[in-house]
Amino acid sequence: MIRAFCGGDKHAFDDLVKKHQDKAFNLCYWFLGDYHEANDICQEIFIKVYQSLHRFRFESAFSTWLYRVTVNRCKNRVDSLEYRYKKWMGRLDGVKEPHDQDAFELADQSDSPLRELENKEQNRLIRKAINTLPTDKKTVVLLRDIEGLSYEEIGRVTGLKVGTIKSKLFRARLALRKKIIGLG
Amino acid sequence: MKCADIEKHLSAYIDDELDAPIRLQVANHLSECRHCSEILESLEGVASIMGAQTTVHAPADFLDKLHERIQTESSLKKFFRRLFVPFKIKIPLEFATTAALCFLIFFVVNTSQQIKEVSLPVSKSAPVESAEKRAPKTDTELLIKDEAKSEPVMYKAMPQPAPVRRKVTIELVFLMPPKGLDHFRRGASSEMEVAAEYDKQVVPVVKSKQHHEPSQLKALPLSSGNVPADTAVGRYGSEPEKMRLSEETILKKESLATVSFAEDIVTRVKVLVAQVDGIILSVDDDDQTGSPRSLQVEIPASVYEYFIQQLHQIADFQTPPFEKFSTNPETIRMIIRFVRDSAQ
C-alpha cells in the first residue's frame, strides 16, 4: 500500500488509514485519557504520515513507525500547556457530555446496558489510574498491556533496552496494582 | 536468588519474556517464597485487567475529517509558498522569520546604545558653568566665603550642562581690607572730585575689536550705579600705568574725598568693562554702609583673559578665577563680590 501511495495511488492511503486507525486511536485514547483529545491527535498523526510517507525507507515495519510517531505526538501533547490546563481543570475524563455518549464506541456491543455501564466506569477508573503514571512508564505499560507489543517491539518503538523495559514495566504494574486490582 | 532480584523478573515472567535458565530460577523461587508469589499474583491481575479492556475505535467519519484537514493544510502551504516565492526564489518561512528577528534585535541594541551615549553625565572636574537665563544670585556655582558665617568654600555638584552654551556665569571675590582700613583716601572734599580725576584719564577713543563696532565716546558717569548696556566708553587695551598714575595722584592729594576700596574697585571695573565693550548689569550696595557689596558685569568671552589680567592689578582675588572654559561661550557674566579679608 505504501509503495502504491508513493506511486501516486491516493486511495492506497485510505486503505492504510483504515487498517491502522484503530490501533493508533486506541493508544492515543489511553495515553491522553480523553476521547476528543485522542481524535484530534490521531488526525494530526495521519496528516504527518501523509506528508512523510514518501520518505519511508522500509527499515522497520510500518506499524512500528506509526507507533513511534503516535507515542512521540502523545508525549508532546501531554507536555503541552493546553493539555495540562485541561487536566488541572478536570476536563479530561473521557465522556462527560451526554451528547458524546454515542461517539464513544466500544468494540463489544453484546453486553447488557448494565454491563456496558460497568465497563465504562471501569474504563474510567483504569484511565484515571494510568494517568497517574509518569510518561515513560505509562508508554511501556500501554504498549505492552493495551497494544500487546513484545518487549523487542517496544524497544524498537521507544528506543529503550529490553532490561530497561522490564524494569519500567514492573514498576508501572506495581504502581497500578493498588488502584485497579479490585476492578477485575 | 534473592527476592529483590526475583521481583525484577516477575513482569517478564508473566509476559514469557525470560530466557529459560532465568525462568527456571524464578519458578523455583516462587514455589518457595510466598511474598514473591503474592506480588506475582497482583501483577498478573493488573496485566489481565489491562488486557481485558476493549479497544476504543476511531469515529466513523475519521477518514473524511482527515481528508478535509489534509486539503486545508495543503492549501495553506501553497499560499505560504506563493507568498515567499514570488519569483521562484525559495525562501523558507523559518529563514525569513529568523532574518526578521535578527534585524529587530540589531535595531533595538543599536538604538539603546545611542540613548546611553546621549544621556551620559558631564564629569565633576569641568569648570563651573551655568545654564542660560538664571538669576545671578541663585545660580551661583561657587559658594564663597561668607564673612559673617565663616563657612568654608565648597563646590556644589555640577548640574547637567546644556548641549549648547552661549553664556557662562562665574563669580569672583575681591578681598577688601578689614574694617577701619577700607577707606584709603582721607580729606577728599567730594566724591565728584575723585570721579573727575578718573574722567581725565579716560581717552575718548574706542578701538573696536574685530567683531565690535566702533562706538562714540561718552562721558561715563563713573560714580553712578548703572551704565547703559550699549554704551562703550574707554580705550581698548587700557594702560595700567595711567590707571595707576591716576591712583597715585589721588593718593597724594589729601584733599580728596574719602572713598572705600570697594567703591574704588567698582569704578575701575566699570572703566575696564567699558574698555572691553562689556556691560555693567548692576551694582549692589550695602544698605547700612552704602558701600558696594557686589557688582555684576557681562563681557565678551574673547576678552576674558585680558579682563582677568586687568582685574588682578586692581585687587586681590580670594580664589583664583577660571582660566579656561571647556565650552565656547559667547559672553561671560561675572558676579564680583567684595569680601572683607579677616586675615589682615
Side-chain angles (χ1 to χ4, degrees):
Chain A
M1 279 183 280
I2 297 170
R3 288 196 171 87
F5 173 75
C6 294
D9 184 3
K10 300 294 179 188
H11 294 292
F13 179 74
D14 294 351
D15 297 333
L16 202 65
V17 171
K18 285 174 187 172
K19 186 178 176 184
H20 295 282
Q21 68 180 27
D22 288 337
K23 271 188 220 175
F25 193 93
N26 192 50
L27 180 59
C28 292
Y29 175 79
W30 287 102
F31 211 111
L32 300 172
D34 184 81
Y35 188 85
H36 301 290
E37 287 282 329
N39 191 22
D40 194 41
I41 284 290
C42 207
Q43 293 270 333
E44 287 180 20
I45 289 164
F46 280 100
I47 290 169
K48 170 82 175 171
V49 168
Y50 179 82
Q51 292 167 350
S52 311
L53 204 53
H54 62 279
R55 291 199 292 264
F56 186 71
R57 293 172 194 171
F58 300 95
E59 291 171 352
S60 61
F62 175 78
S63 58
T64 304
W65 183 64
L66 182 64
Y67 276 126
R68 196 181 302 139
V69 173
T70 305
V71 165
N72 289 336
R73 283 277 169 159
C74 289
K75 279 181 180 176
N76 292 339
R77 188 64 165 212
V78 164
D79 290 337
S80 72
L81 274 174
E82 188 189 346
Y83 180 87
R84 282 189 280 167
Y85 171 74
K86 282 183 182 177
K87 191 176 178 181
W88 180 69
M89 291 293 285
R91 291 176 189 168
L92 292 172
D93 200 14
V95 179
K96 268 199 165 179
E97 307 299 325
H99 64 269
D100 289 332
Q101 295 283 351
D102 296 333
F104 189 91
E105 296 180 15
L106 293 171
D108 190 357
Q109 300 286 337
S110 61
D111 290 335
S112 64
L114 182 65
R115 184 68 186 157
E116 195 176 326
L117 199 64
E118 285 175 358
N119 287 342
K120 280 188 178 176
E121 181 59 22
Q122 190 185 74
N123 182 282
R124 190 184 70 82
L125 291 170
I126 292 169
R127 273 188 288 111
K128 197 175 174 183
I130 290 170
N131 274 338
T132 62
L133 293 174
T135 306
D136 57 337
K137 292 183 179 61
K138 186 198 289 187
T139 305
V140 171
V141 80
L142 289 178
L143 288 174
R144 174 63 201 154
D145 292 336
I146 298 293
E147 296 295 319
L149 267 63
S150 67
Y151 283 22
E152 198 180 328
E153 285 170 330
I154 294 170
R156 282 198 288 265
V157 170
T158 59
L160 298 171
K161 292 179 182 176
V162 172
T164 310
I165 293 166
K166 281 184 194 176
S167 173
K168 286 186 187 292
L169 192 59
F170 169 70
R171 296 194 188 286
R173 284 170 172 170
L174 213 60
L176 287 173
R177 66 171 180 163
K178 291 174 185 176
K179 293 173 184 173
I180 65 172
I181 198 67
L183 299 176
Chain B
M1 285 176 86
K2 294 179 183 176
C3 289
D5 298 323
I6 295 293
E7 280 176 8
K8 283 189 282 187
H9 296 295
L10 289 179
S11 247
Y13 183 81
I14 295 166
D15 299 327
D16 199 18
E17 292 276 353
L18 288 175
D19 297 332
I22 300 174
R23 186 176 176 79
L24 191 62
Q25 286 181 16
V26 171
N28 290 336
H29 181 88
L30 287 170
S31 63
E32 296 165 356
C33 179
R34 190 174 175 182
H35 170 70
C36 291
S37 297
E38 284 175 356
I39 294 173
L40 179 73
E41 199 175 321
S42 60
L43 293 180
E44 281 177 334
V46 169
S48 173
I49 291 167
M50 295 281 284
Q53 296 307 304
T54 51
T55 304
V56 178
H57 295 280
D61 60 348
F62 182 84
L63 191 58
D64 296 330
K65 296 280 185 192
L66 182 62
H67 279 297
E68 282 175 20
R69 283 183 73 165
I70 289 171
Q71 192 67 30
T72 308
E73 292 210 10
S74 299
S75 305
L76 272 172
K77 276 199 170 181
K78 280 179 189 172
F79 171 73
F80 280 117
R81 201 175 292 121
R82 278 182 197 158
L83 198 65
F84 289 96
V85 190
F87 302 106
K88 296 188 180 179
I89 302 166
K90 284 196 175 182
I91 304 173
L93 182 62
E94 294 83 359
F95 177 77
T97 310
T98 308
L101 207 62
C102 289
F103 177 76
L104 188 68
I105 291 167
F106 177 76
F107 178 76
V108 169
V109 167
N110 270 350
T111 308
S112 62
Q113 276 179 0
Q114 283 173 13
I115 290 169
K116 276 183 187 174
E117 284 168 10
V118 168
S119 65
L120 277 174
V122 175
S123 66
K124 288 189 177 181
S125 60
V128 178
E129 296 174 339
S130 66
E132 211 168 339
K133 294 182 182 178
R134 272 198 212 170
K137 288 184 181 179
T138 56
D139 69 343
T140 307
E141 274 73 35
L142 273 176
L143 288 178
I144 61 168
K145 187 170 184 177
D146 189 318
E147 55 179 316
K149 293 182 183 176
S150 300
E151 287 177 353
V153 175
M154 50 188 255
Y155 292 87
K156 276 186 184 177
M158 303 300 171
Q160 189 83 4
V164 177
R165 298 197 175 276
R166 309 296 289 177
K167 194 181 286 184
V168 164
T169 302
I170 62 172
E171 192 165 275
L172 303 172
V173 179
F174 278 136
L175 284 173
M176 299 291 105
K179 264 188 178 176
L181 298 175
D182 57 350
H183 288 74
F184 68 92
R185 301 181 199 128
R186 305 284 178 187
S189 57
S190 68
E191 281 188 87
M192 290 304 295
E193 285 183 353
V194 174
E197 274 299 316
Y198 280 103
D199 284 339
K200 286 178 189 175
Q201 302 302 320
V202 171
V203 178
V205 171
V206 176
K207 281 188 184 176
S208 63
K209 295 200 77 172
Q210 290 174 5
H211 54 275
H212 295 298
E213 295 293 328
S215 53
Q216 189 72 28
L217 169 70
K218 278 187 185 177
L220 179 66
L222 296 173
S223 59
S224 64
N226 293 314
V227 175
D230 59 348
T231 303
V233 178
R235 181 173 52 189
Y236 172 68
S238 75
E239 297 171 359
E241 295 77 16
K242 283 206 173 178
M243 296 296 287
R244 287 199 192 107
L245 183 62
S246 169
E247 190 176 321
E248 283 170 8
T249 306
I250 293 165
L251 284 170
K252 282 176 185 174
K253 290 190 176 180
E254 292 185 354
S255 61
L256 287 175
T258 302
V259 180
S260 69
F261 267 104
E263 287 167 342
D264 178 51
I265 288 170
V266 167
T267 305
R268 293 185 186 198
V269 170
K270 285 179 181 177
V271 171
L272 184 59
V273 169
Q275 285 177 355
V276 298
D277 277 348
I279 304 166
I280 304 288
L281 296 175
S282 64
V283 179
D284 182 27
D285 294 329
D286 191 293
D287 294 333
Q288 290 179 351
T289 60
S291 296
R293 196 161 51 186
S294 67
L295 173 67
Q296 201 175 156
V297 304
E298 194 171 290
I299 60 167
S302 55
V303 301
Y304 173 74
E305 283 185 35
Y306 167 78
F307 192 81
I308 292 297
Q309 283 172 9
Q310 298 305 309
L311 286 181
H312 271 297
Q313 296 172 11
I314 295 173
D316 294 328
F317 291 106
Q318 188 187 44
T319 52
F322 290 109
E323 292 182 3
K324 286 182 185 176
F325 299 98
S326 63
T327 58
N328 285 331
E330 284 187 355
T331 57
I332 297 172
R333 185 178 290 184
M334 291 187 193
I335 303 167
I336 303 172
R337 296 189 191 278
F338 305 104
V339 171
R340 200 177 301 280
D341 187 359
S342 56
Q344 287 186 7

